[in-house]
Amino acid sequence: QVQLVEYGGGLVQPGGSLNLSCSASGFTFRNYAMRWYRKPPGKERDLVANISPTGESRSYMDSVKGRFTISRDNSKNALYLQMHSLKPEDTAMYYCHVVYPRANYWGPGTQVTVSS
């Protein structure tokens, strides 16, 4: 079955950096687009970034453009999110996501807290 597990969250000061990773299994990773979502406290879950199966196409929500980078390593079935210049408003639970083949799958999430 499809499994997604996120790693790398934590507490960081404003302006700091964190690198998230997601380990995927149960499907042919290289054939599917992958996404990072986040859910801030008390708010809806939002799409943060999307990457095509080959990694050639990437897109981001406006508030993270220029600060976050999504990438993938198809040889390792791994998805990444590099986050720089973090702001308090980036505080959220971050989730890895795939649509396979028509169903939505999410990992359990990893908490990112940006605070001084």
Side-chain angles (χ1 to χ4, degrees), residues 6-109:
E6 302 90 345
Y7 303 92
L11 173 64
V12 63
Q13 291 188 341
S17 299
L18 275 178
N19 294 322
L20 305 184
S21 59
C22 170
S23 177
S25 61
F27 63 104
T28 307
F29 182 79
R30 65 180 180 273
N31 289 348
Y32 291 87
M34 297 294 298
R35 300 179 178 91
W36 285 101
Y37 279 80
R38 71 183 184 187
K39 187 181 185 304
K43 296 184 179 180
E44 297 295 316
R45 186 157 46 189
D46 290 323
L47 176 61
V48 175
N50 178 83
I51 188 167
S52 64
T54 62
E56 290 183 0
S57 177
R58 311 176 196 199
S59 61
Y60 301 90
M61 67 187 307
D62 285 346
S63 62
V64 307
K65 285 180 181 177
R67 301 189 297 121
F68 289 13
T69 302
I70 188 171
S71 62
R72 63 192 296 161
D73 186 337
N74 287 344
S75 69
K76 296 181 179 178
N77 287 1
L79 177 71
Y80 305 104
L81 187 67
Q82 295 178 290
M83 305 185 294
H84 300 290
S85 303
L86 283 161
K87 305 175 181 180
E89 51 264 43
D90 295 317
T91 294
M93 187 73 81
Y94 284 72
Y95 300 90
C96 180
H97 171 267
V98 66
V99 178
Y100 171 79
R102 298 181 191 87
N104 288 287
Y105 290 91
W106 308 86

